[in-house]
Protein backbone atom coordinates (compact mmCIF):
# COMPACT_ATOMS: atom_id res chain seq x y z
CA UNK A 1 0.00 0.00 0.00
CA UNK A 2 2.83 2.35 0.90
CA UNK A 3 4.50 1.62 -2.44
CA UNK A 4 1.30 2.43 -4.38
CA UNK A 5 0.83 5.75 -2.52
CA UNK A 6 4.47 6.65 -3.18
CA UNK A 7 4.06 5.94 -6.92
CA UNK A 8 0.83 7.95 -7.02
CA UNK A 9 2.51 10.92 -5.29
CA UNK A 10 5.50 10.70 -7.66
CA UNK A 11 3.20 10.60 -10.68
CA UNK A 12 1.23 13.60 -9.39
CA UNK A 13 4.45 15.51 -8.76
CA UNK A 14 5.70 14.81 -12.28
CA UNK A 15 2.37 15.92 -13.76
CA UNK A 16 2.48 19.17 -11.78
CA UNK A 17 6.08 19.82 -12.79
CA UNK A 18 5.25 19.10 -16.45
CA UNK A 19 2.19 21.34 -16.28
CA UNK A 20 4.27 24.10 -14.71
CA UNK A 21 6.85 23.85 -17.49
CA UNK A 22 4.19 23.94 -20.18
CA UNK A 23 2.37 26.89 -18.62
CA UNK A 24 5.72 28.68 -18.19
CA UNK A 25 6.44 28.65 -21.94
CA UNK A 26 5.46 31.73 -23.91
CA UNK A 27 2.56 31.37 -26.35
CA UNK A 28 3.82 30.30 -29.76
CA UNK A 29 1.01 31.65 -31.92
CA UNK A 30 0.50 30.55 -35.52
CA UNK A 31 3.43 29.30 -37.60
CA UNK A 32 4.96 32.05 -39.71
CA UNK A 33 6.92 31.27 -42.88
CA UNK A 34 9.12 34.17 -43.94
CA UNK A 35 10.66 34.90 -46.35
CA UNK A 36 8.95 32.71 -48.97
CA UNK A 37 10.61 32.92 -52.39
CA UNK A 38 8.02 32.14 -55.04
CA UNK A 39 8.46 30.49 -58.43
CA UNK A 40 8.31 33.81 -60.30
CA UNK A 41 11.04 35.23 -57.97
CA UNK A 42 8.58 37.39 -56.10
CA UNK A 43 8.93 37.11 -52.33
CA UNK A 44 6.29 36.90 -49.61
CA UNK A 45 7.31 38.34 -46.24
CA UNK A 46 5.34 37.73 -43.03
CA UNK A 47 5.57 39.10 -39.49
CA UNK A 48 3.49 38.09 -36.47
CA UNK A 49 2.43 41.16 -34.48
CA UNK A 50 -1.25 41.10 -33.45
CA UNK A 51 -0.97 44.30 -31.41
CA UNK A 52 1.03 46.33 -33.94
CA UNK A 53 -0.59 49.28 -35.63
CA UNK A 54 1.72 49.42 -38.66
CA UNK A 55 4.34 47.14 -40.21
CA UNK A 56 6.52 48.09 -43.16
CA UNK A 57 9.11 46.15 -45.17
CA UNK A 58 12.47 47.76 -45.94
CA UNK A 59 14.99 46.10 -48.23
CA UNK A 60 17.75 46.82 -50.74
CA UNK A 61 15.55 45.35 -53.48
CA UNK A 62 12.98 48.12 -52.86
CA UNK A 63 13.07 51.78 -53.83
CA UNK A 64 11.10 52.66 -50.69
CA UNK A 65 9.54 50.78 -47.74
CA UNK A 66 6.20 49.09 -48.45
CA UNK A 67 3.22 48.42 -46.16
CA UNK A 68 2.21 44.98 -44.94
CA UNK A 69 -1.44 43.98 -44.41
CA UNK A 70 -2.68 42.17 -41.27
CA UNK A 71 -4.94 39.09 -41.30
CA UNK A 72 -7.32 37.79 -38.63
CA UNK A 73 -4.50 35.89 -36.85
CA UNK A 74 -2.35 39.00 -36.51
CA UNK A 75 0.09 38.01 -39.25
CA UNK A 76 1.21 40.90 -41.41
CA UNK A 77 2.26 40.05 -44.98
CA UNK A 78 3.21 41.46 -48.37
CA UNK A 79 4.31 39.92 -51.67
CA UNK A 80 6.82 41.86 -53.76
CA UNK A 81 7.19 42.06 -57.50
CA UNK A 82 9.77 39.64 -58.97
CA UNK A 83 13.25 40.43 -57.60
CA UNK A 84 16.55 40.19 -59.50
CA UNK A 85 18.48 37.12 -58.27
CA UNK A 86 20.99 38.00 -55.53
CA UNK A 87 21.34 38.11 -51.74
CA UNK A 88 19.66 41.12 -50.12
CA UNK A 89 19.42 42.54 -46.58
CA UNK A 90 15.95 43.48 -45.37
CA UNK A 91 14.13 44.33 -42.15
CA UNK A 92 10.69 45.17 -40.80
CA UNK A 93 9.69 48.53 -39.33
CA UNK A 94 7.10 47.79 -36.64
CA UNK A 95 5.42 50.90 -35.27
CA UNK A 96 8.56 52.86 -36.10
CA UNK A 97 11.05 50.33 -34.69
CA UNK A 98 13.37 48.48 -37.12
CA UNK A 99 13.62 44.75 -36.36
CA UNK A 100 14.96 41.58 -37.98
CA UNK A 101 12.68 38.86 -39.29
CA UNK A 102 12.20 36.44 -36.33
CA UNK A 103 11.17 33.65 -38.73
CA UNK A 104 14.50 33.81 -40.60
CA UNK A 105 17.80 32.44 -39.23
CA UNK A 106 19.94 34.21 -41.87
CA UNK A 107 21.10 37.63 -40.66
CA UNK A 108 23.51 40.41 -41.62
CA UNK A 109 26.44 40.62 -39.15
CA UNK A 110 26.92 44.28 -38.23
CA UNK A 111 27.90 46.20 -35.10
CA UNK A 112 25.20 48.87 -35.53
CA UNK A 113 22.15 47.76 -37.54
CA UNK A 114 20.51 44.34 -37.62
CA UNK A 115 18.98 43.00 -40.82
CA UNK A 116 17.88 39.64 -42.16
CA UNK A 117 19.00 38.15 -45.49
CA UNK A 118 16.99 36.74 -48.37
CA UNK A 119 18.53 34.94 -51.34
CA UNK A 120 16.74 34.98 -54.67
CA UNK A 121 18.28 32.07 -56.61
CA UNK A 122 19.10 32.40 -60.28
CA UNK A 123 17.97 29.81 -62.82
CA UNK A 124 21.62 28.78 -63.23
CA UNK A 125 24.09 28.57 -60.31
CA UNK A 126 25.69 31.90 -59.45
CA UNK A 127 29.36 32.36 -58.65
CA UNK A 128 28.40 32.42 -54.95
CA UNK A 129 26.06 29.39 -55.08
CA UNK A 130 26.68 26.27 -53.01
CA UNK A 131 27.62 23.75 -55.70
CA UNK A 132 28.91 20.18 -55.81
CA UNK A 133 32.63 21.01 -55.78
CA UNK A 134 35.38 20.49 -53.17
CA UNK A 135 34.91 22.98 -50.35
CA UNK A 136 37.33 24.82 -48.13
CA UNK A 137 37.02 25.23 -44.38
CA UNK A 138 35.94 28.24 -42.31
CA UNK A 139 37.57 28.63 -38.88
CA UNK A 140 37.05 31.20 -36.13
CA UNK A 141 40.25 32.36 -34.45
CA UNK A 142 41.14 34.45 -31.40
CA UNK A 143 44.46 36.27 -31.33
CA UNK A 144 46.28 38.71 -28.98
CA UNK A 145 45.38 42.15 -30.31
CA UNK A 146 46.21 45.80 -29.58
CA UNK A 147 46.24 47.20 -26.04
CA UNK A 148 45.94 43.76 -24.49
CA UNK A 149 42.59 43.00 -26.10
CA UNK A 150 41.54 39.75 -27.78
CA UNK A 151 40.89 40.02 -31.49
CA UNK A 152 38.72 37.82 -33.70
CA UNK A 153 39.32 36.46 -37.21
CA UNK A 154 37.45 34.32 -39.70
CA UNK A 155 39.90 32.24 -41.73
CA UNK A 156 39.21 30.33 -44.96
CA UNK A 157 41.53 27.46 -45.88
CA UNK A 158 41.15 26.03 -49.39
CA UNK A 159 40.14 22.48 -50.35
CA UNK A 160 43.03 20.09 -49.76
CA UNK A 161 44.65 22.20 -47.03
CA UNK A 162 44.39 19.41 -44.45
CA UNK A 163 45.65 16.67 -46.80
CA UNK A 164 49.06 17.88 -47.96
CA UNK A 165 50.79 18.91 -44.74
CA UNK A 166 53.86 20.19 -46.58
CA UNK A 167 52.15 22.59 -48.97
CA UNK A 168 52.18 26.32 -48.18
CA UNK A 169 49.73 28.91 -49.50
CA UNK A 170 49.50 32.62 -50.33
CA UNK A 171 47.27 34.73 -48.08
CA UNK A 172 44.52 37.21 -48.96
CA UNK A 173 43.67 39.68 -46.16
CA UNK A 174 40.07 40.85 -46.61
CA UNK A 175 38.93 43.80 -44.49
CA UNK A 176 35.33 44.45 -43.47
CA UNK A 177 33.38 47.63 -44.21
CA UNK A 178 32.12 50.34 -41.89
CA UNK A 179 30.22 48.80 -38.94
CA UNK A 180 30.56 45.32 -40.49
CA UNK A 181 32.14 42.49 -38.52
CA UNK A 182 34.68 39.80 -39.31
CA UNK A 183 31.76 37.56 -40.36
CA UNK A 184 30.30 39.80 -43.06
CA UNK A 185 32.57 38.79 -45.95
CA UNK A 186 31.77 35.16 -45.04
CA UNK A 187 28.03 35.31 -44.34
CA UNK A 188 27.00 38.07 -46.76
CA UNK A 189 29.84 38.21 -49.27
CA UNK A 190 29.97 34.39 -49.53
CA UNK A 191 33.74 34.61 -50.05
CA UNK A 192 34.25 30.93 -49.28
CA UNK A 193 31.72 29.75 -51.87
CA UNK A 194 32.97 32.15 -54.54
CA UNK A 195 36.52 30.92 -54.04
CA UNK A 196 35.46 27.26 -53.88
CA UNK A 197 33.77 27.63 -57.28
CA UNK A 198 36.61 29.61 -58.88
CA UNK A 199 39.25 27.14 -57.65
CA UNK A 200 37.18 24.20 -58.93
CA UNK A 201 36.92 25.88 -62.36
CA UNK A 202 40.67 26.54 -62.44
CA UNK A 203 40.06 30.30 -62.43
CA UNK A 204 41.68 31.12 -59.08
CA UNK A 205 44.66 29.80 -57.18
CA UNK A 206 44.13 28.06 -53.83
CA UNK A 207 44.77 30.60 -51.06
CA UNK A 208 44.02 31.39 -47.46
CA UNK A 209 41.59 34.24 -46.82
CA UNK A 210 41.89 36.07 -43.50
CA UNK A 211 38.90 38.21 -42.52
CA UNK A 212 39.61 40.45 -39.51
CA UNK A 213 37.29 42.76 -37.61
CA UNK A 214 38.16 46.20 -38.91
CA UNK A 215 37.30 48.21 -35.80
CA UNK A 216 39.70 47.24 -32.98
CA UNK A 217 38.78 50.38 -31.00
CA UNK A 218 35.20 49.10 -30.75
CA UNK A 219 36.41 45.65 -29.70
CA UNK A 220 38.56 47.16 -26.94
CA UNK A 221 35.60 49.24 -25.68
CA UNK A 222 33.37 46.16 -25.75
CA UNK A 223 35.84 44.12 -23.70
CA UNK A 224 36.11 46.95 -21.16
CA UNK A 225 32.29 47.27 -20.97
CA UNK A 226 32.48 50.74 -22.44
CA UNK A 227 30.43 52.39 -25.18
CA UNK A 228 31.73 51.85 -28.70
CA UNK A 229 33.28 54.92 -30.34
CA UNK A 230 31.03 56.96 -32.62
CA UNK A 231 31.03 56.18 -36.32
CA UNK A 232 33.29 58.37 -38.46
CA UNK A 233 31.31 60.61 -40.78
CA UNK A 234 34.24 62.21 -42.66
CA UNK A 235 36.40 59.52 -44.26
CA UNK A 236 39.22 61.99 -44.90
CA UNK A 237 39.35 63.41 -41.37
CA UNK A 238 42.25 63.14 -38.94
CA UNK A 239 40.14 60.83 -36.77
CA UNK A 240 39.52 58.51 -39.73
CA UNK A 241 43.23 58.43 -40.57
CA UNK A 242 44.14 57.81 -36.92
CA UNK A 243 41.73 54.88 -36.64
CA UNK A 244 42.98 53.44 -39.93
CA UNK A 245 46.51 53.60 -38.51
CA UNK A 246 45.30 51.81 -35.37
CA UNK A 247 43.94 48.97 -37.47
CA UNK A 248 47.12 48.94 -39.57
CA UNK A 249 49.18 48.49 -36.40
CA UNK A 250 47.03 45.53 -35.40
CA UNK A 251 47.28 44.01 -38.88
CA UNK A 252 51.05 44.32 -39.23
CA UNK A 253 52.15 43.59 -35.66
CA UNK A 254 49.52 41.07 -34.55
CA UNK A 255 47.33 39.55 -37.27
CA UNK A 256 49.93 38.72 -39.91
CA UNK A 257 52.41 37.20 -37.39
CA UNK A 258 49.59 35.16 -35.83
CA UNK A 259 48.50 33.74 -39.20
CA UNK A 260 52.04 32.98 -40.31
CA UNK A 261 52.77 31.20 -37.02
CA UNK A 262 49.61 29.09 -37.01
CA UNK A 263 49.00 28.35 -40.70
CA UNK A 264 51.14 27.06 -43.56
CA UNK A 265 51.73 30.28 -45.48
CA UNK A 266 54.17 31.71 -48.01
CA UNK A 267 55.65 34.59 -46.05
CA UNK A 268 56.74 37.23 -48.54
CA UNK A 269 55.12 40.24 -50.20
CA UNK A 270 54.60 38.42 -53.51
CA UNK A 271 52.32 35.98 -51.67
CA UNK A 272 50.32 38.50 -49.66
CA UNK A 273 47.26 40.32 -51.02
CA UNK A 274 44.97 42.77 -49.27
CA UNK A 275 41.52 44.15 -50.09
CA UNK A 276 38.64 45.83 -48.31
CA UNK A 277 35.20 47.31 -48.78
CA UNK A 278 34.23 50.88 -47.83
CA UNK A 279 36.09 51.73 -44.60
CA UNK A 280 38.00 48.49 -45.07
CA UNK A 281 39.06 49.69 -48.52
CA UNK A 282 40.49 52.86 -47.07
CA UNK A 283 42.29 50.80 -44.42
CA UNK A 284 43.57 48.53 -47.19
CA UNK A 285 45.04 51.36 -49.27
CA UNK A 286 46.66 53.05 -46.29
CA UNK A 287 48.09 49.83 -44.86
CA UNK A 288 49.42 48.72 -48.26
CA UNK A 289 50.94 52.08 -49.21
CA UNK A 290 52.56 52.34 -45.77
CA UNK A 291 53.94 48.80 -46.01
CA UNK A 292 55.03 48.22 -49.58
CA UNK A 293 57.40 45.54 -48.29
CA UNK A 294 54.41 43.50 -47.11
CA UNK A 295 51.87 43.46 -49.99
CA UNK A 296 52.18 43.13 -53.78
CA UNK A 297 48.44 42.76 -54.54
CA UNK A 298 46.09 45.57 -53.48
CA UNK A 299 42.33 45.83 -54.18
CA UNK A 300 40.02 48.68 -53.22
CA UNK A 301 36.30 47.89 -53.15
CA UNK A 302 34.28 51.14 -53.25
CA UNK A 303 36.85 53.28 -51.46
CA UNK A 304 39.68 55.72 -52.08
CA UNK A 305 42.31 58.01 -50.61
CA UNK A 306 41.89 61.70 -51.40
CA UNK A 307 44.53 63.39 -53.60
CA UNK A 308 45.37 65.71 -50.68
CA UNK A 309 46.11 62.77 -48.37
CA UNK A 310 48.04 60.99 -51.13
CA UNK A 311 50.32 64.01 -51.51
CA UNK A 312 50.70 64.48 -47.77
CA UNK A 313 51.00 60.91 -46.52
CA UNK A 314 51.92 58.78 -49.53
CA UNK A 315 54.09 60.94 -51.76
CA UNK A 316 56.35 57.93 -52.37
CA UNK A 317 53.53 56.26 -54.34
CA UNK A 318 52.92 59.01 -56.89
CA UNK A 319 56.41 60.51 -56.69
CA UNK A 320 58.18 57.44 -58.06
CA UNK A 321 55.85 55.74 -60.53
CA UNK A 322 58.49 53.35 -61.87
CA UNK A 323 59.24 51.97 -58.42
CA UNK A 324 55.53 51.78 -57.46
CA UNK A 325 54.66 49.95 -60.67
CA UNK A 326 57.53 47.56 -60.09
CA UNK A 327 56.43 46.82 -56.53
CA UNK A 328 52.69 46.38 -57.13
CA UNK A 329 51.72 43.34 -59.14
CA UNK A 330 48.11 44.52 -58.94
CA UNK A 331 46.44 47.76 -57.89
CA UNK A 332 42.67 47.41 -58.47
CA UNK A 333 39.80 49.83 -57.90
CA UNK A 334 36.09 49.00 -58.20
CA UNK A 335 33.03 51.24 -57.77
CA UNK A 336 29.32 51.42 -58.60
CA UNK A 337 27.98 54.38 -60.54
CA UNK A 338 25.30 54.97 -57.87
CA UNK A 339 27.72 54.61 -54.96
CA UNK A 340 27.97 57.68 -52.73
CA UNK A 341 31.76 57.22 -52.88
CA UNK A 342 31.83 57.28 -56.69
CA UNK A 343 33.11 60.87 -56.96
CA UNK A 344 35.95 60.32 -54.47
CA UNK A 345 36.92 57.08 -56.17
CA UNK A 346 37.09 58.75 -59.59
CA UNK A 347 39.27 61.52 -58.15
CA UNK A 348 41.60 58.89 -56.65
CA UNK A 349 41.84 57.06 -59.99
CA UNK A 350 42.48 60.34 -61.82
CA UNK A 351 45.31 61.02 -59.39
CA UNK A 352 46.86 57.64 -60.22
CA UNK A 353 46.46 58.23 -63.97
CA UNK A 354 48.08 61.63 -63.82
CA UNK A 355 51.12 60.12 -62.11
CA UNK A 356 51.26 57.11 -64.45
CA UNK A 357 50.56 54.59 -61.69
CA UNK A 358 49.35 51.33 -63.23
CA UNK A 359 45.98 50.13 -61.94
CA UNK A 360 42.87 48.27 -63.09
CA UNK A 361 39.51 50.02 -62.87
CA UNK A 362 36.14 48.27 -62.72
CA UNK A 363 32.91 50.27 -62.87
CA UNK A 364 29.51 48.63 -62.44
CA UNK A 365 25.98 49.83 -61.85
CA UNK A 366 24.39 49.92 -58.41
CA UNK A 367 25.40 51.52 -55.16
CA UNK A 368 27.31 50.91 -51.95
CA UNK A 369 26.02 47.37 -51.51
CA UNK A 370 27.19 43.85 -50.82
CA UNK A 371 25.60 42.83 -54.09
CA UNK A 372 28.39 44.81 -55.74
CA UNK A 373 31.04 43.47 -53.35
CA UNK A 374 30.42 39.96 -54.67
CA UNK A 375 31.02 41.32 -58.19
CA UNK A 376 34.30 42.90 -57.07
CA UNK A 377 35.50 39.63 -55.55
CA UNK A 378 34.53 37.67 -58.63
CA UNK A 379 36.66 40.08 -60.69
CA UNK A 380 39.70 40.20 -58.40
CA UNK A 381 40.11 36.68 -56.99
CA UNK A 382 41.18 35.24 -60.38
CA UNK A 383 43.88 37.94 -60.66
CA UNK A 384 45.62 37.27 -57.36
CA UNK A 385 48.94 35.43 -57.19
CA UNK A 386 49.04 34.79 -60.96
Amino acid sequence: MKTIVTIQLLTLTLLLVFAGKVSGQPPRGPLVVSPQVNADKSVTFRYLAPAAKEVKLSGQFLKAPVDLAKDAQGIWSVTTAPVKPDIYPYSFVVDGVTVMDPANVAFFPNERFKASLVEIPDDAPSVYSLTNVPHGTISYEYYPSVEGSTGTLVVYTPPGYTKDKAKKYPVFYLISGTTDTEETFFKVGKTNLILDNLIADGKAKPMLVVMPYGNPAARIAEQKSQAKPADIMNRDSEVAIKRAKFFETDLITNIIPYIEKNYRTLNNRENRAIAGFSRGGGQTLRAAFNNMDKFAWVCSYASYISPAEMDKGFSHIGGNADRTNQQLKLLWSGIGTEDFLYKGTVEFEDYLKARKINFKSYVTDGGHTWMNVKKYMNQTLPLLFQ
Side-chain angles (χ1 to χ4, degrees):
M1 185 69 174
K2 182 178 179 182
T3 302
I4 294 174
V5 171
T6 302
I7 293 173
Q8 288 176 335
L9 288 172
L10 179 61
T11 303
L12 179 61
T13 301
L14 290 173
L15 288 172
L16 289 171
V17 170
F18 179 75
K21 286 184 177 180
V22 171
S23 64
Q25 293 180 352
R28 295 179 181 274
L31 177 67
V32 176
V33 177
S34 179
Q36 175 184 311
V37 180
N38 304 312
D40 65 350
K41 304 193 190 309
S42 65
V43 188
T44 301
F45 295 89
R46 298 181 179 91
Y47 187 83
L48 177 62
K53 296 181 175 61
E54 178 186 66
V55 179
K56 292 179 178 289
L57 171 70
S58 176
Q60 288 191 349
F61 47 86
L62 298 169
K63 292 183 178 179
V66 297
D67 293 318
L68 279 70
K70 184 168 69 170
D71 66 13
Q73 292 182 297
I75 298 175
W76 298 75
S77 65
V78 66
T79 298
T80 70
V83 178
K84 180 182 177 182
D86 213 317
I87 302 172
Y88 300 91
Y90 73 94
S91 55
F92 295 115
V93 183
V94 183
D95 292 339
V97 179
T98 301
V99 297
M100 292 193 297
D101 186 345
N104 185 358
V105 298
F107 68 94
F108 193 119
N110 191 279
E111 66 184 23
R112 295 293 185 189
F113 69 86
K114 296 293 180 286
S116 298
L117 295 170
V118 58
E119 180 173 357
I120 317 300
D122 209 339
D123 296 331
S126 302
V127 67
Y128 54 83
S129 296
L130 177 63
T131 57
N132 188 22
V133 299
H135 293 287
T137 300
I138 288 289
S139 302
Y140 285 73
E141 291 276 2
Y142 296 100
Y143 70 95
S145 185
V146 284
E147 296 186 5
S149 64
T150 299
T152 52
L153 304 167
V154 174
V155 181
Y156 166 90
T157 50
Y161 179 83
T162 58
K163 293 181 180 179
D164 185 351
K165 300 295 185 180
K167 186 174 181 179
K168 296 184 178 182
Y169 294 85
V171 186
F172 182 30
Y173 293 89
L174 194 53
I175 319 303
S176 61
T178 306
T179 74
D180 293 326
T181 75
E182 70 278 14
E183 292 187 303
T184 313
F185 263 107
F186 161 44
K187 291 188 173 180
V188 186
K190 303 294 182 182
T191 305
N192 57 317
L193 298 181
I194 293 174
L195 200 44
D196 286 342
N197 293 329
L198 290 173
I199 292 172
D201 288 341
K203 295 179 179 178
K205 286 199 169 184
M207 67 185 79
L208 271 71
V209 182
V210 177
M211 294 163 269
Y213 180 50
N215 192 0
R219 180 56 46 81
I220 291 169
E222 178 184 48
Q223 292 177 4
K224 292 182 176 179
S225 299
Q226 298 173 351
K228 292 183 178 180
D231 297 336
I232 295 173
M233 305 309 294
N234 182 354
R235 294 168 182 267
D236 303 323
S237 67
E238 290 186 11
V239 175
I241 295 171
K242 182 178 179 180
R243 286 204 199 165
K245 188 65 178 179
F246 194 47
F247 170 78
E248 177 191 328
T249 299
D250 194 28
L251 175 67
I252 301 300
T253 63
N254 297 313
I255 295 173
I256 292 177
Y258 179 86
I259 292 297
E260 295 182 352
K261 178 181 178 181
N262 291 280
Y263 288 86
R264 300 193 311 276
T265 58
L266 296 167
N267 303 334
N268 54 52
R269 65 183 308 277
E270 288 76 17
N271 286 287
R272 292 192 203 100
I274 185 169
F277 170 52
S278 190
R279 176 190 68 193
Q283 291 170 325
T284 288
L285 293 170
R286 291 175 175 113
F289 291 167
N290 270 331
N291 299 274
M292 295 290 279
D293 61 324
K294 296 290 192 295
F295 305 100
W297 313 81
V298 181
C299 303
S300 170
Y301 301 159
S303 58
Y304 64 88
I305 296 179
S306 70
E309 186 183 344
M310 287 296 297
D311 282 337
K312 181 180 179 180
F314 307 103
S315 58
H316 59 286
I317 299 297
N320 191 339
D322 290 340
R323 178 169 174 76
T324 299
N325 292 333
Q326 183 181 27
Q327 290 178 307
L328 292 178
K329 292 182 176 295
L330 176 68
L331 178 56
W332 192 96
S333 174
I335 193 68
T337 54
E338 299 169 50
D339 197 309
F340 71 95
L341 298 180
Y342 178 80
K343 181 177 180 292
T345 301
V346 170
E347 291 174 351
F348 172 62
E349 293 184 1
D350 287 344
Y351 178 94
L352 298 176
K353 288 177 187 176
R355 285 151 183 81
K356 295 181 170 51
I357 303 299
N358 296 334
F359 70 98
K360 292 183 181 295
S361 177
Y362 176 78
V363 179
T364 185
D365 58 1
H368 202 71
T369 68
W370 278 87
M371 290 85 81
N372 269 350
V373 171
K374 293 195 293 294
K375 294 180 184 179
Y376 303 150
M377 285 194 291
N378 189 39
Q379 291 291 318
T380 54
L381 285 167
L383 302 176
L384 301 180
F385 311 118
Q386 300 294 338

